[in-house]
């Protein structure tokens, strides 16, 4: 079940100042902004990797100050640039990390891993026993997505997941990602506007630790804000 | 003569195995602790470092008057060797754990691993080749230093060497020195192989 996320007057001094907005359950939202604008910090508030200095974050109406963070994290997918795969574990072992933590049976985990890897074009038979170092950057990131999605999380947090990939692989992964994204609330951090428009239905623009724009993706490029126009200019050929 | 060499070699192996074994049991948790606490870790490392700078013959001597662990004999020799073996093990455990890619740790925490699970399932396995390298250094150095233990009645191959020196008998000296060198070489080869096997899954160290 997708979850809702609610930021209420959240500050993380000195990075973020008075963040206020809601994300409905099942929504796909992109955070864009320049480096240091506060997008990643805001993302990391959702699974408690960063704690607010004031204000509070709510997931499905429950305050992150009171709920069990370990359990929340096991139901929140997390995909990052560089994938963060465990180097000493095979692709299969990496993908089944959260199912093992949740106590799934081996057969349940194997079935789910097989299905997930099929969708991401990484057949279990061919990739399951390989180590992350033997995979290309794009393949590693596919494993990263499979690992984050396998246990059907309520929220999927993505922090520049495709930032280090070449443009063609990047495009392929964006398409694979869009095909997978139903049934989960998505927050996707990127500084690439075309990517944000492709993967999200709503865009939140950060600048200087504040939200300066929050609108449907389809209306974003028409916004008169100078920073929006700079992103549009930077994205056009 | 052969029987005596065998007996001394056996004693030597016993002293080193016990000492390195105890140093592993103390050193790895100490290294983990140092990795977690930056300042306390630095102080602890400095202490372990300082022990290493004491000349081995002097360290054996200093321990003789210490109650419970001191005196003349094997026990004192083992305690001195434990102190010597600590440094490479503590330092390498610390270095190995600090060397784990922060992105990998971030991913581990974000997937809901507890601190204990992160240590056992990620930090220790990824750091293991470096930790084993520390154990290898401790063992090889320990085999050499253990020859000096004979000076305080610790036994082992040093007994033959010291006797050979006193009697100006080269054959007797070699009867102690050659097996000690051979032991060190074998330990080095075996533990290096273990290290390489473990490095197989650790691309960061491979580079």
């Amino acid at each position: 079940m997708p979850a809702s996320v609610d930021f209420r007057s959240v500050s993380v001094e000195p990075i973020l100042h008075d963040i206020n907005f809601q994300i409905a359950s099942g929504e796909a939202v992109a955070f864009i902004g320049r480096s240091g604008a506060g997008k990643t910090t805001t993302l990391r508030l959702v699974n408690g990797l960063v704690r607010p200095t004031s204000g509070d974050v709510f997931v499905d109406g429950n305050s992150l100050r009171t709920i069990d963070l370990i359990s929340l994290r096991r139901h929140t997918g997390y995909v990052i640039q560089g994938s963060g795969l465990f180097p000493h574990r095979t692709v299969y072992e990496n993908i089944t990390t959260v199912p093992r933590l949740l106590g799934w049976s081996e057969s349940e985990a194997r079935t789910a891993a097989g299905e997930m890897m099929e969708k991401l074009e990484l057949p279990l038979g061919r990739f399951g026993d390989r180590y992350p170092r033997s995979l290309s950057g794009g393949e590693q990131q596919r494993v990263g997505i499979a690992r984050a999605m396998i246990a059907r999380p309520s929220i999927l947090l993505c922090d520049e997941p495709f930032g280090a990939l070449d443009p063609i692989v990047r495009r392929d992964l964006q398409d694979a990602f869009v095909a997978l994204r139903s049934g989960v609330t998505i927050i996707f951090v990127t500084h690439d506007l075309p990517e944000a428009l492709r993967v999200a239905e709503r865009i939140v623009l950060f600048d200087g630790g504040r939200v300066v724009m929050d609108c449907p993706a389809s209306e974003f490029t028409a916004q008169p804000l100078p920073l929006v126009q700079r992103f549009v200019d930077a994205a056009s050929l | 003569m052969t029987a005596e060499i065998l007996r001394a070699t056996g004693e030597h192996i016993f002293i080193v195995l016990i000492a390195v074994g105890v140093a592993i049991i103390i050193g790895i948790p100490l290294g983990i602790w140092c990795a977690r606490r930056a300042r306390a870790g630095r102080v602890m490392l400095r202490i372990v470092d300082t022990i290493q700078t004491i000349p081995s013959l002097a360290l054996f001597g200093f321990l003789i008057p210490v109650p419970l662990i001191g005196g003349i004999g094997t026990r004192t020799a083992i305690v001195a060797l434990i102190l010597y073996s600590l440094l490479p093990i503590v330092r390498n455990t610390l270095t190995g754990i600090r060397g784990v890619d922060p992105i990998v740790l971030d991913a581990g925490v974000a997937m809901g691993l507890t601190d204990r699970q992160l240590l056992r399932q990620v930090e220790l396995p990824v750091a293991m080749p470096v930790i084993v390298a520390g154990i290898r250094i401790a063992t090889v150095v320990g085999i050499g230093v253990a020859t000096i233990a004979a000076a305080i009645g610790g036994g082992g191959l040093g007994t033959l060497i010291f006797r050979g020196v006193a009697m100006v008998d080269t054959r007797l000296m070699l009867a102690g020195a050659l097996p000690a060198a051979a032991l060190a070489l074998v330990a080095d080869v075996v533990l290096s192989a273990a290290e390489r096997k473990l490095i197989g899954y650790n691309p960061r160290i491979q580079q």
Side-chain angles (χ1 to χ4, degrees):
Chain A
M1 278 293 288
S4 64
V5 181
D6 190 354
F7 297 92
R8 289 190 208 159
S9 311
V10 180
S11 296
V12 180
E13 295 305 338
I15 305 161
L16 275 188
H17 317 289
D18 197 31
I19 300 293
N20 272 295
F21 64 96
Q22 285 107 47
I23 296 170
S25 93
E27 216 177 354
V29 181
F31 290 178
I32 76 165
R34 291 177 287 192
S35 298
K39 348 180 255 303
T40 293
T41 306
T42 308
L43 179 95
R44 290 166 66 90
L45 281 164
V46 178
N47 58 358
L49 292 178
V50 169
R51 310 310 305 268
T53 48
S54 66
D56 203 356
V57 181
F58 296 82
V59 169
D60 267 347
N62 302 308
S63 161
L64 255 60
R65 292 189 191 277
T66 53
I67 62 172
D68 175 22
L69 286 179
I70 297 291
S71 165
L72 172 76
R73 288 171 184 157
R74 289 175 185 177
H75 294 95
T76 303
Y78 187 63
V79 190
I80 46 182
Q81 187 172 348
S83 78
L85 296 178
F86 296 151
H88 58 300
R89 290 194 168 167
T90 63
V91 165
Y92 176 73
E93 289 165 345
N94 263 287
I95 290 178
T96 52
T97 302
V98 177
R100 267 198 314 277
L101 291 170
L102 292 173
W104 290 17
S105 73
E106 178 59 32
S107 67
E108 259 182 306
R110 183 158 282 275
T111 309
E115 283 171 11
M116 187 51 72
M117 290 178 76
E118 204 57 54
K119 283 185 200 157
L120 285 159
E121 293 163 22
L122 294 165
L124 187 57
R126 205 147 61 81
F127 286 91
D129 293 333
R130 288 171 65 178
Y131 283 91
R133 67 171 181 280
S134 72
L135 305 178
S136 70
E139 287 164 346
Q140 287 185 14
Q141 207 47 272
R142 282 173 195 266
V143 175
I145 294 171
R147 184 171 74 165
M149 296 281 285
I150 185 171
R152 296 180 289 273
S154 326
I155 303 171
L156 182 63
L157 305 174
C158 304
D159 191 359
E160 299 263 5
F162 311 139
L165 304 175
D166 74 61
I168 296 167
V169 172
R170 186 170 183 148
R171 185 62 196 261
D172 283 349
L173 271 164
Q174 287 165 353
D175 292 342
F177 181 81
V178 169
L180 278 175
R181 74 174 185 194
S182 65
V184 57
T185 304
I186 291 173
I187 302 178
F188 196 108
V189 167
T190 178
H191 48 228
D192 183 50
L193 179 59
E195 180 165 87
L197 295 173
R198 209 165 285 139
V199 300
E201 51 207 11
R202 171 178 163 198
I203 293 185
V204 177
L205 176 64
F206 285 79
D207 194 36
R210 293 176 198 280
V211 172
V212 293
M213 174 66 60
D214 181 352
C215 66
S218 55
E219 296 168 16
F220 185 80
T221 55
Q223 300 291 337
L225 204 70
L227 185 59
V228 170
Q229 289 314 312
R230 288 181 65 187
F231 268 97
V232 173
D233 290 344
S236 52
L237 291 171
Chain B
M1 187 66 192
T2 316
E4 203 178 348
I5 294 173
L6 282 178
R7 191 188 50 74
T9 307
E11 245 172 41
H12 207 88
I13 293 173
F14 172 78
I15 295 170
V16 174
L17 278 185
I18 297 284
V20 173
V22 174
I24 290 171
I25 292 166
I26 302 172
I28 292 178
L30 205 57
I32 294 167
W33 185 82
C34 290
R36 293 272 182 278
R37 290 168 188 74
R39 283 187 61 182
R42 266 200 302 277
V43 174
M44 181 53 68
L45 215 54
R46 172 85 14 216
I47 295 169
V48 183
D49 245 338
T50 309
I51 297 172
Q52 195 81 1
T53 63
I54 306 171
S56 47
L57 191 55
L59 183 60
F60 286 117
F62 287 142
L63 285 175
I64 293 174
V66 178
L68 293 176
I69 57 169
I72 296 285
T74 311
R75 192 181 49 196
T76 316
I78 290 173
V79 172
L81 275 183
I82 291 170
L83 291 174
Y84 264 113
S85 306
L86 273 181
L87 176 68
I89 295 173
V90 173
R91 183 180 284 284
N92 279 39
T93 303
L94 170 80
T95 310
I97 287 181
R98 289 255 176 92
V100 179
D101 188 342
I103 292 172
V104 170
L105 293 180
D106 190 48
V109 174
M111 281 190 289
L113 271 75
T114 61
D115 287 347
R116 178 180 281 263
Q117 286 168 333
L118 201 63
L119 178 68
R120 290 192 164 196
Q121 298 181 24
V122 183
E123 293 176 289
L124 282 178
V126 174
M128 201 44 80
V130 186
I131 298 174
V132 172
I135 294 171
R136 176 174 60 83
I137 295 163
T139 309
V140 172
V141 171
I143 290 169
V145 173
T147 56
I148 299 169
I152 56 157
L157 290 162
T159 320
L160 301 176
I161 299 174
F162 275 104
R163 218 188 310 146
V165 171
M167 295 162 68
V168 203
D169 181 341
T170 313
R171 278 186 52 228
L172 202 51
M173 277 192 271
L174 287 176
L178 287 179
L183 279 182
L185 281 174
V186 170
D188 193 48
V189 168
V190 170
L191 289 166
S192 294
E195 246 174 85
R196 269 197 307 278
K197 202 166 152 51
L198 290 165
I199 284 172
Y201 62 59
N202 196 329
R204 269 171 67 83
I205 294 164
Q206 210 166 29
Q207 283 157 8

